[in-house]
Amino acid sequence: MRLATPVKPTALRAEQIILFRVGGQLFAISSASVQEVRSADSLSGASIEINAAGMSKVRHVVRRGEKSLYIVDGTTHFGISAPVGALVFVLRKTRTALLIDGIEKMTSMTRLQALPQCFCHEERRWYRGLTALDQTVVPVVHPEGFLSQEELALLDAALPPMALPEAETNEGAEFPQ
Amino acid sequence: MTVSAELELESFVLLRLGERRFAVAAAQIAELVAPSRVFRFPHRTPKIEGVILRRGRIVPVCDVAETLIGKKLTSRRFYLIAVRHFGAQTEWVALPVTGDCELIHAEMIAPGESDAAQVSGWLSHAGDVMEVLNLDALTPGPEDLLTEAAAEATLEAQP
């Protein structure tokens, strides 16, 4: 029997990550990708409803000046059946705000292994890779993997005419870059 | 057995899925391990149950029983860790099996034209005739997307 040459995992310096849950499932995201953490309630007053065909994961949008921030329900995105989350990550350099259950903790990862090539569907867009933390494997999400360009175009087309939503409350935390 | 016949013999690992046995070229097997915790996370690839941690690697667990015997495994005795090719690259994949595995030396008969892509040949051993599995065709990979896209294109092209 032959032992395959080990695949060298992608070497990374320690990267700060946030472990969070969606529908009870644990995920990780680079803390540099999170611009703000807000309670879902604090955004609800400022959000307006949106209905784009085939886009059940986005039901609300927040307008910030010229920018539309689409609130993606993490449970629908990942196909998890669970109640809607209570916290929102506003993701840096994207037009996505992600609805999550809550934050587990902040930690760091030193190794990110590419998603095995057997995984060959949408998850390749969802995840940057997998990391092993405390003998647990956690998928590390790709901030730009929640809404594709096609989906953004669909949402933009479905945007209701500019309304004047209530001002956002300041119940949240801004993450330093 | 003649010398020339002996030279044709190759090594295979026999694995059991339910009541049936299959073979995999021994060169493709990395190791046989006891079942360990399967880590599951959302994804959309059929046949993939999750991943296991093995020797510092994250290895996908691929249940091929439904394809081969028509039903999912309810129990598993080992994971057969095999090498799966993706073009020039190789990665490990863990296949759950339900019984002991056996290493044999046998002569493989080439597959027939009507055989499925997952059959790379046939073996006759101890009164059984069994399929030699082509893991590259049996387990999911990027080529599946091409096949699915081609099938969709065919359906769309139909009047």
Side-chain angles (χ1 to χ4, degrees), chain A residues 2-7 25 27 77-78 111 113 116-123 126-127 130 135-137 139, chain B residues 27 29-30 39-45 48 51 53 56-58 60 83 86 89-92 140-142 145 148:
Chain A
R2 177 171 66 86
L3 203 66
T5 313
V7 181
Q25 171 74 47
F27 297 91
H77 173 78
F78 290 117
R111 278 172 52 172
Q113 182 174 315
Q117 293 186 67
C118 274
F119 290 95
C120 55
H121 283 71
E122 285 161 87
E123 61 272 10
W126 297 350
Y127 304 130
L130 305 172
Q135 292 300 304
T136 297
V137 177
Chain B
I29 303 300
F39 300 97
R40 293 178 170 84
F41 53 84
H43 66 82
R44 296 276 162 83
T45 305
I48 300 285
V51 296
L53 267 175
R57 298 185 196 204
I58 296 170
V83 176
F86 297 92
Q89 297 174 14
T90 59
E91 285 184 6
W92 280 1
L145 289 184
E148 285 168 20

Side-chain angles (χ1 to χ4, degrees), chain B residues 121-142:
Chain B
W122 295 88
L123 284 188
S124 177
H125 175 73
D128 272 351
V129 175
M130 62 196 90
E131 294 169 25
V132 179
L133 301 176
N134 174 358
L135 298 182
D136 298 352
L138 184 61
T139 55

Side-chain angles (χ1 to χ4, degrees), chain B:
Chain B
M1 193 179 282
T2 64
V3 173
S4 61
E6 273 181 37
L7 291 176
E8 300 290 323
L9 295 182
E10 294 171 67
S11 300
F12 297 93
V13 172
L14 304 189
L15 57 102
R16 184 174 286 281
L17 292 174
E19 297 301 309
R20 288 184 63 189
R21 290 206 296 178
F22 298 88
V24 177
Q28 274 190 277
I29 303 300
E31 58 182 329
L32 188 65
V33 299
S36 55
R37 181 178 168 193
V38 177
F39 300 97
R40 293 178 170 84
F41 53 84
H43 66 82
R44 296 276 162 83
T45 305
K47 294 187 199 172
I48 300 285
E49 279 186 13
V51 296
I52 56 169
L53 267 175
R54 186 71 193 157
R55 297 178 193 264
R57 298 185 196 204
I58 296 170
V59 182
V61 177
C62 185
D63 186 354
V64 293
E66 201 165 9
T67 306
L68 295 174
I69 61 171
K71 59 183 176 187
K72 289 196 172 187
L73 298 181
T74 50
S75 67
R76 51 200 57 192
R77 188 149 182 199
F78 295 110
Y79 288 135
L80 197 61
I81 304 215
V83 176
R84 205 285 197 195
H85 299 267
F86 297 92
Q89 297 174 14
T90 59
E91 285 184 6
W92 280 1
V93 57
L95 308 175
V97 297
T98 55
D100 288 336
C101 293
E102 185 184 349
L103 179 68
I104 64 158
H105 303 283
E107 187 179 357
M108 185 174 81
I109 301 158
E113 280 182 14
S114 59
D115 285 330
Q118 75 221 21
V119 179
S120 67
W122 295 88
L123 284 188
S124 177
H125 175 73
D128 272 351
V129 175
M130 62 196 90
E131 294 169 25
V132 179
L133 301 176
N134 174 358
L135 298 182
D136 298 352
L138 184 61
T139 55
E143 59 280 353
D144 288 11
L145 289 184
L146 298 175
T147 314
E148 285 168 20
E152 276 175 26
T154 311
L155 279 176
E156 281 171 17
Q158 283 175 354

Side-chain angles (χ1 to χ4, degrees), chain A residues 44-123:
Chain A
S44 62
S47 68
I48 46 180
E49 274 192 33
I50 184 170
N51 261 310
M55 291 290 298
S56 57
K57 65 182 175 183
V58 179
R59 287 282 178 236
H60 292 91
V61 57
V62 175
R63 289 229 166 108
R64 287 184 165 178
E66 293 296 301
K67 192 176 168 185
S68 301
L69 203 56
Y70 295 110
I71 302 176
V72 176
D73 176 10
T75 56
T76 313
H77 173 78
F78 290 117
I80 304 169
S81 148
V84 171
L87 273 188
V88 175
F89 280 164
V90 177
L91 302 182
R92 204 182 295 278
K93 292 179 183 165
T94 71
R95 295 166 65 195
T96 304
L98 179 66
L99 206 48
I100 64 167
D101 296 354
I103 293 175
E104 190 84 2
K105 65 174 178 177
M106 287 188 73
T107 183
S108 62
M109 66 173 179
T110 51
R111 278 172 52 172
L112 177 68
Q113 182 174 315
L115 197 63
Q117 293 186 67
C118 274
F119 290 95
C120 55
H121 283 71
E122 285 161 87
E123 61 272 10

